[in-house]
Amino acid sequence: MDINKRFKSHNLTVLKTVGKGTYGNVYLCKRKDNTLTIVKEIELNIKFQDHEQDIINEINILSCLNHVNIIKFYSYYNTDNHVMISMEYASSGNLAEYMYKRSPKLLQQQEILFYYCQVLLGVDYIHSKNIIHRDLKAENILLTGKCGVVVKIGDFGISKMLARPQVARSSLRKECGWTHTPQEKADLFAHTSTVLTPNQVGDTNTETEVEAVPAQPLQISLPPFPVSEKELCKIIQGLKVKKASGYDLITMEILKELPRKAAKKTSTVIGTPYYLAPELCEGKPYDNKSDVWALGCLLYEMCTHKRAFEAETLVGLVKAITSGSVHPLDLTTYDRSMQDLVDSMLSILPDKRPTVKELMGRRVLLPTIYTIFLDAGNEDLLYLKVKEFN
């Protein structure tokens, strides 16, 4: 079916293509009520074993999130072997673009806190839902509202739930003509007490609680590099992990293979390499503290317009990250408390990093957190705050 016909069948008009990936494209569309939406269209590919589950995972996560600082999920559609995910459109670009426009001039501390505290509120909500974002970076912090004063966290394509509520699997399989295996049926009822119907997933006016029966948090242990998990498993199979320079490092055979593999598939990744936490680089189990590390990298970047960790090679980047050493902030521009924040989040040991909730209670952040929380995404009130430091 022609793309325009496929979209029109769901009352969507394609305005332009805003991104392209391995399995599909992202479009800016107009809805029937003339509002704008971003639609991620994914072509179903049964040749890849995990492809369906990746789509279900993203729909699961998006459909159970409802927060002013997170991109809103509208609906999903299945047409002509394609899945279309309709989401909120952020009209003012992203934080990376915002910083680029201001460079080389450094952002004021209050300006940084204004945007950063909105990010923290969004991530705290995500973590309260037992979800790890896994790809927090400036490009995924979207801006919208009056003059871009409202922050929206986007791109949950590689996010991970710490419990297993496979709530959308039944509806997606049914609409696509697939059937459950007996084991999948057993898993579905074993891990969920509430199953979303297609209408419930797509209806933004229906509040459906996604609940999982009590279970132990998953111990996720995945290789850290920007390549699909499936590809990495193939590469790593049969090879041993050896000790090098005081930390676990994937053998050189794997490292040589990664750039060629990563060039083929860049849409299914488990995190942007510059923001990866040390435990990911070492192939260890990780939890939401890996998001805290990424938040530390983000704050450092906002204060310096430079990445916290950089290297010309992947091996060099891994060594830089696992050393945990970064250049200090400019303390003639920023308070010492900003450096302390960065240092606490970029602790090599996950247990030493604060939770997001603990971060929000820090003296340097709490007043801004309190003000933004009270404004609750009201763009007019937030705009007044922006005018104070512009």
Side-chain angles (χ1 to χ4, degrees):
M1 184 187 297
D2 175 73
I3 182 172
N4 289 317
K5 289 182 180 179
R6 188 160 58 243
F7 276 69
K8 281 186 177 180
S9 66
H10 298 291
N11 297 314
L12 295 169
T13 302
V14 177
L15 300 180
K16 65 177 180 179
T17 304
V18 296
K20 293 187 177 182
T22 303
Y23 295 123
N25 300 327
V26 179
Y27 302 95
L28 176 62
C29 300
K30 185 167 67 174
R31 303 165 83 188
K32 191 175 182 179
D33 60 1
N34 288 325
T35 58
L36 298 178
T37 178
I38 287 292
V39 178
K40 182 177 181 179
E41 185 190 46
I42 308 160
E43 184 176 5
L44 297 173
N45 193 332
I46 60 174
K47 293 181 180 178
F48 296 98
Q49 183 179 359
D50 298 328
H51 191 214
E52 176 204 349
Q53 186 56 50
D54 291 340
I55 299 169
I56 291 169
N57 179 68
E58 186 168 3
I59 293 173
N60 270 331
I61 289 173
L62 286 169
S63 63
C64 73
L65 298 178
N66 182 21
H67 190 274
V68 68
N69 295 122
I70 294 173
I71 285 292
K72 189 178 291 295
F73 169 80
Y74 290 150
S75 184
Y76 83 92
Y77 314 97
N78 299 305
T79 303
D80 194 27
N81 207 40
H82 288 76
V83 174
M84 294 181 288
I85 303 174
S86 174
M87 298 169 283
E88 179 182 8
Y89 170 57
S91 59
S92 299
N94 60 51
L95 189 57
E97 295 168 348
Y98 179 84
M99 290 190 293
Y100 179 78
K101 291 175 184 176
R102 302 295 297 272
S103 183
K105 183 179 178 181
L106 294 177
L107 303 179
Q108 299 175 52
Q109 178 167 315
Q110 196 54 41
E111 185 177 8
I112 291 172
L113 295 179
F114 174 81
Y115 291 103
Y116 192 73
C117 286
Q118 293 185 67
V119 175
L120 290 180
L121 287 166
V123 176
D124 179 58
Y125 174 80
I126 294 167
H127 287 179
S128 75
K129 295 288 187 179
N130 288 327
I131 294 169
I132 311 174
H133 189 282
R134 299 207 298 177
D135 201 18
L136 291 169
K137 58 181 179 179
E139 289 81 1
N140 288 340
I141 306 302
L142 308 176
L143 305 177
T144 192
K146 191 173 184 179
C147 296
V149 297
V150 181
V151 165
K152 300 278 185 177
I153 300 173
D155 200 345
F156 287 81
I158 64 167
S159 300
K160 199 81 173 178
M161 281 187 170
L162 291 179
R164 295 182 181 268
Q166 300 178 16
V167 293
R169 191 177 188 87
S170 177
S171 55
L172 186 60
R173 274 185 170 271
K174 183 177 179 181
E175 293 186 26
C176 295
W178 299 325
T179 58
H180 284 297
T181 65
Q183 183 58 48
E184 287 171 342
K185 288 180 180 179
D187 289 344
L188 182 66
F189 288 101
H191 292 296
T192 60
S193 57
T194 301
V195 178
L196 296 182
T197 66
N199 289 335
Q200 286 174 319
V201 173
D203 185 1
T204 56
N205 295 320
T206 302
E207 291 188 4
T208 306
E209 190 70 24
V210 180
E211 298 177 351
V213 295
Q216 294 297 320
L218 298 182
Q219 289 295 307
I220 306 165
S221 181
L222 297 172
F225 305 101
V227 63
S228 73
E229 297 170 14
K230 185 177 180 181
E231 292 279 359
L232 277 171
C233 289
K234 288 181 180 178
I235 299 169
I236 293 170
Q237 189 174 12
L239 297 175
K240 295 180 179 179
V241 176
K242 62 184 180 182
K243 204 77 172 176
S245 303
Y247 60 89
D248 290 323
L249 180 65
I250 305 301
T251 57
M252 292 307 297
E253 288 86 349
I254 297 175
L255 291 173
K256 290 175 183 176
E257 187 79 354
L258 280 169
R260 183 170 63 82
K261 293 284 185 179
K264 292 182 179 179
K265 295 174 79 173
T266 57
S267 63
T268 51
V269 298
I270 63 168
T272 303
Y274 297 104
Y275 295 78
L276 288 176
E279 58 269 25
L280 283 165
C281 293
E282 296 172 353
K284 295 178 180 178
Y286 64 92
D287 56 17
N288 54 23
K289 291 296 184 72
S290 63
D291 277 350
V292 174
W293 175 277
L295 288 170
C297 294
L298 176 64
L299 181 58
Y300 184 89
E301 192 172 334
M302 293 177 75
C303 293
T304 64
H305 295 315
K306 297 176 183 178
R307 291 192 179 101
F309 305 97
E310 286 192 293
E312 294 182 359
T313 65
L314 189 57
V315 176
L317 182 60
V318 170
K319 288 182 178 179
I321 290 172
T322 52
S323 74
S325 177
V326 296
H327 292 291
L329 304 182
D330 182 356
L331 295 184
T332 64
T333 304
Y334 304 113
D335 294 343
R336 175 70 204 184
S337 55
M338 296 289 279
Q339 181 69 60
D340 293 340
L341 278 177
V342 171
D343 291 342
S344 66
M345 288 184 279
L346 296 184
S347 171
I348 293 297
L349 300 175
D351 290 344
K352 297 293 184 181
R353 295 174 212 150
T355 64
V356 176
K357 201 170 291 294
E358 288 169 347
L359 280 172
M360 293 192 300
R362 295 287 182 94
R363 182 175 298 180
V364 65
L365 295 173
L366 187 58
T368 308
I369 287 286
Y370 181 74
T371 301
I372 290 174
F373 180 78
L374 290 179
D375 291 344
N378 185 312
E379 58 186 80
D380 291 324
L381 294 177
L382 290 173
Y383 179 67
L384 293 176
K385 299 292 187 299
V386 170
K387 290 180 69 175
E388 293 176 6
F389 51 77
N390 275 345

